[in-house]
């Protein structure tokens, strides 16, 4: 079971690195918004893998809070976004 957790962690780190590149290099604000959503989802997955590995359930409220903050942030940025065309 430990090998599965290590592989999952390595894949999540790779996903976070690729997403960080897209966040920094994204040509438009929507690309950056999608990258930020993906980074928050990757963080949620990382916390979930850690909770499964350690057996600690006290981190679950933090996972739920991070999901809510990510959703509200995405909706508010998408709602009040100014067009990239100038």
């Amino acid at each position: 079971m430990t090998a599965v957790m290590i592989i999952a962690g390595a894949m999540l780190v790779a996903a976070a690195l690729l997403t960080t590149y897209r966040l920094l290099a994204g040509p438009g604000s929507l690309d950056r918004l999608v990258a930020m959503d993906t980074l928050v989802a990757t963080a949620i997955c990382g916390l979930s893998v850690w909770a499964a590995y350690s057996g600690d359930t006290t981190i679950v409220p933090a996972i739920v809070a991070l999901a809510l903050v990510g959703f509200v942030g995405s909706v508010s940025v998408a709602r009040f976004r100014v067009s990239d065309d100038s």
Side-chain angles (χ1 to χ4, degrees):
M1 191 64 146
T2 303
V4 172
M5 297 295 178
I6 291 172
I7 292 170
M11 291 173 67
L12 286 171
V13 167
L17 290 174
L18 290 171
T19 303
T20 302
Y21 170 74
R22 176 49 57 199
L23 182 66
L24 297 175
S29 62
L30 283 181
D31 293 324
R32 289 187 171 97
L33 178 64
V34 169
M36 195 64 203
D37 285 339
T38 307
L39 199 58
V40 169
T42 304
I44 291 170
C45 291
L47 288 173
S48 300
V49 167
W50 175 254
Y53 175 73
S54 66
D56 185 18
T57 59
T58 59
I59 201 165
V60 173
I63 294 169
V64 172
L66 188 58
L68 287 173
V69 167
F71 173 74
V72 170
S74 299
V75 168
S76 62
V77 168
R79 171 71 176 97
F80 297 112
R81 185 182 79 84
V82 177
S83 179
D84 289 335
D85 301 331
S86 350

